[in-house]
Amino acid sequence: MKDPLFGIGKLDDELTGIPDKKIVLLSASPSVGNEVFGYQIIHNNLLHKNKVLLYLNRTSPQSYLTEMKDYDFIADANLTIIDSYSNMTGIQSSSTSNTVIVENPSDGEEIKKKLSAELEKGYDLVLIDSLSLVIDAFDFNYAMSIIDLVKSKLDIKKGSSVLLFTDWDYGTNEISSLVSKVNAEVEIRGIEKRVIFGQYFAVIKCDWVKEKNFSSVLFKSVKPGGIKIYFPKVLITGPTDAGKTSFIHSASRDAVSVDRLGGTIALDHGNLDFEGYKADLFGTPGQERFDPLLKLLGGEAIGVILIVDATKPDQFPRAIEMLRKTESYGLPIVVVANKANLPGALSVEELKDKLHLGKDAPLVQTIAEDLSHIDPNEPTKLKKEGVEQALRALFKQLT
Ligand SMILES: Nc1nc2c(ncn2[C@@H]2O[C@H](COP(=O)(O)OP(=O)(O)O)[C@@H](O)[C@H]2O)c(=O)[nH]1
Ligand SMILES: [Mg+2]
């Protein structure tokens, strides 16, 4: 048994889990939603054999578990649900040993009694989905008294708590007294301009972490898999035949290349899903006649992987030129020296020297899988170790 973790990459890095007796508020804007965070936190705690109590008033336990399953999150006997929903709708809750039914969900005293009795048993994690619905069903003060109840039990029984909250138009005073009651607040918001084109979360406060320079983190919620830290645009550039198409097809399962006569003429695109990160990879064509496109393709990239053929130093000036043309010079970069096992491949020192990219720019060597038994019509696959090393080196700079 360990401190409950979120199971969400960057959040666990920044907060190092949720220590005993701590309460975290996950506050989402109405357009974004926070329920997937709840599914993922529960899933991750069950994986770690933690005992989880879910107070549920947003939907039925059955729908909740089905939703979780859509993300490939399977609940087990360590999850207990207090069902404060079913009897509100008249739908029969199928009572199991792991469900505690609130007979009258509009009876605030019954809820407190049942919650209190469960908390007495001791849980590693107590999740409330959702706190805003408690406010709406009763009032603000009642919801605060629920937090007080949870807090008083955690103080004795240990364990920590996560409150899912949707920031409808509550008053500023109410919000600030809510925030002052919790130990940490994470905001979940959309980047909106008529439509939502991005979602992010940001740690707003946390009283157990000294270092306070938290950043906001873009994420995507994917089925299955859940919350992934998301990088909307990573550029894959480099000279012709260096291995850009091969890299993109090796890094993502569903890459698409627009190919004509062998060489890539338009672009490669791939969705990457790796170690809790998601990224869209955009490849550029290498031939000079497509240079007018490069600026366009490079626009809004947040990081770049420069791929060179380790046996062709005569192409290195062209490689640097492509960084300039895509306007990605100066972005977080990883250099991939491909074909590193071919005769004539330069050493790491020689590569760094000839590429003028500075000692700090990470450089990763990659080689192709055995090319003898591979379909010649399929893009070449590079060996996993090198590709993953390159991605980790990039994500390390981006987070
Ligand atoms: N021997 C060897 N060939 C490779 C390697 N990587 C790519 N290739 C080959 O090099 C050619 C160009 O690769 P491609 O990924 O299309 O390069 P791009 O033009 O940068 O997109 C293809 O024929 C690949 O099969 C490698 O590591 N070793
Ligand atoms: Mg290509």
Side-chain angles (χ1 to χ4, degrees), residues 241 243-246 257 259 262-265 268 284-286:
D241 276 351
K244 300 178 294 297
T245 300
S246 306
S257 300
D259 264 356
T264 308
I265 64 136
D268 303 299
T284 68

Side-chain angles (χ1 to χ4, degrees), residues 58-328:
R58 177 177 59 79
T59 184
S60 68
Q62 292 85 339
S63 320
Y64 194 92
L65 298 176
T66 307
E67 268 282 303
M68 271 184 76
K69 220 181 259 166
D70 286 345
Y71 290 89
D72 252 2
F73 299 154
I74 312 294
D76 62 32
N78 275 331
L79 174 66
T80 301
I81 301 178
I82 299 181
D83 176 5
S84 194
Y85 176 86
S86 298
N87 280 343
M88 211 155 46
T89 61
I91 301 164
Q92 282 295 308
S93 176
S94 55
S95 161
T96 67
S97 55
N98 285 332
T99 319
V100 175
I101 294 173
V102 176
E103 302 300 336
N104 178 6
S106 49
D107 177 356
E109 283 316 304
E110 187 196 347
I111 290 172
K112 279 191 182 170
K113 228 165 77 191
K114 297 227 153 121
L115 184 58
S116 182
E118 271 317 302
L119 289 168
E120 273 299 320
K121 298 180 183 166
Y123 283 88
D124 301 300
L125 179 81
V126 179
L127 195 112
I128 293 186
D129 185 357
S130 82
L131 185 68
S132 8
L133 287 174
V134 177
I135 300 176
D136 297 350
F138 298 92
D139 60 25
F140 189 79
N141 289 335
Y142 177 81
M144 295 308 101
S145 72
I146 291 286
I147 299 179
D148 291 337
L149 172 64
V150 170
K151 202 181 203 119
S152 66
K153 297 289 180 190
L154 293 182
D155 279 345
I156 303 160
K157 296 283 169 186
K158 307 272 183 353
S160 44
S161 178
V162 172
L163 314 173
L164 300 191
F165 176 72
T166 300
D167 196 352
W168 301 104
D169 263 338
Y170 300 108
T172 359
N173 290 343
E174 294 176 324
I175 296 293
S176 59
S177 74
L178 167 60
V179 169
S180 69
K181 259 193 197 301
V182 298
N183 303 96
E185 184 195 6
V186 180
E187 272 189 2
I188 302 165
R189 295 283 184 272
I191 302 167
E192 308 176 36
K193 265 188 185 166
R194 286 199 304 145
V195 291
I196 300 181
F197 59 92
Q199 301 174 71
Y200 69 91
F201 62 78
V203 177
I204 298 301
K205 83 166 201 180
C206 177
D207 69 6
W208 67 86
V209 176
K210 289 258 150 53
E211 194 197 340
K212 293 282 197 236
N213 52 350
F214 301 122
S215 51
S216 25
V217 181
L218 284 175
F219 72 90
K220 242 188 182 172
S221 147
V222 289
K223 274 186 197 179
I227 307 290
K228 308 276 181 174
I229 311 306
Y230 176 52
F231 301 111
K233 191 162 186 181
V234 171
L235 196 70
I236 314 292
T237 192
T240 310
D241 276 351
K244 300 178 294 297
T245 300
S246 306
F247 185 91
I248 292 175
H249 283 263
S250 310
S252 46
R253 265 169 295 134
D254 57 351
V256 182
S257 300
V258 184
D259 264 356
R260 197 169 291 163
L261 302 173
T264 308
I265 64 136
L267 79 160
D268 303 299
H269 177 259
N271 296 299
L272 168 80
D273 192 339
F274 175 65
E275 295 186 344
Y277 296 103
K278 220 176 133 34
D280 287 358
L281 307 180
F282 290 82
T284 68
Q287 298 93 327
E288 283 176 33
R289 67 181 188 282
F290 297 113
D291 280 5
L293 289 176
L294 289 182
K295 191 175 161 189
L296 197 71
L297 290 171
E300 281 161 10
I302 56 160
V304 57
I305 295 182
L306 177 68
I307 305 199
V308 296
D309 181 334
T311 69
K312 296 208 172 126
D314 52 314
Q315 288 187 338
F316 291 1
R318 170 67 182 157
I320 301 292
E321 176 72 0
M322 294 196 68
L323 287 182
R324 294 223 175 80
K325 292 224 153 123
T326 52
E327 298 189 342
S328 52

Side-chain angles (χ1 to χ4, degrees), residues 334-348:
V334 173
V335 180
V336 167
N338 190 32
K339 314 195 189 184
N341 62 342
L342 293 189
L346 301 192
S347 70
V348 171

Side-chain angles (χ1 to χ4, degrees), residues 21-85:
K21 307 180 187 179
K22 299 293 187 185
I23 299 183
V24 180
L25 181 73
L26 293 189
S27 165
S29 57
S31 59
V32 175
N34 50 17
E35 62 280 357
V36 184
F37 284 75
Y39 305 148
Q40 189 146 337
I41 292 166
I42 291 177
H43 166 71
N44 192 60
N45 278 275
L46 294 177
L47 275 186
H48 285 94
K49 306 260 180 286
N50 284 337
K51 279 183 71 192
V52 180
L53 177 66
L54 167 66
Y55 174 82
L56 185 64
N57 59 2
R58 177 177 59 79
T59 184
S60 68
Q62 292 85 339
S63 320
Y64 194 92
L65 298 176
T66 307
E67 268 282 303
M68 271 184 76
K69 220 181 259 166
D70 286 345
Y71 290 89
D72 252 2
F73 299 154
I74 312 294
D76 62 32
N78 275 331
L79 174 66
T80 301
I81 301 178
I82 299 181
D83 176 5
S84 194
Y85 176 86

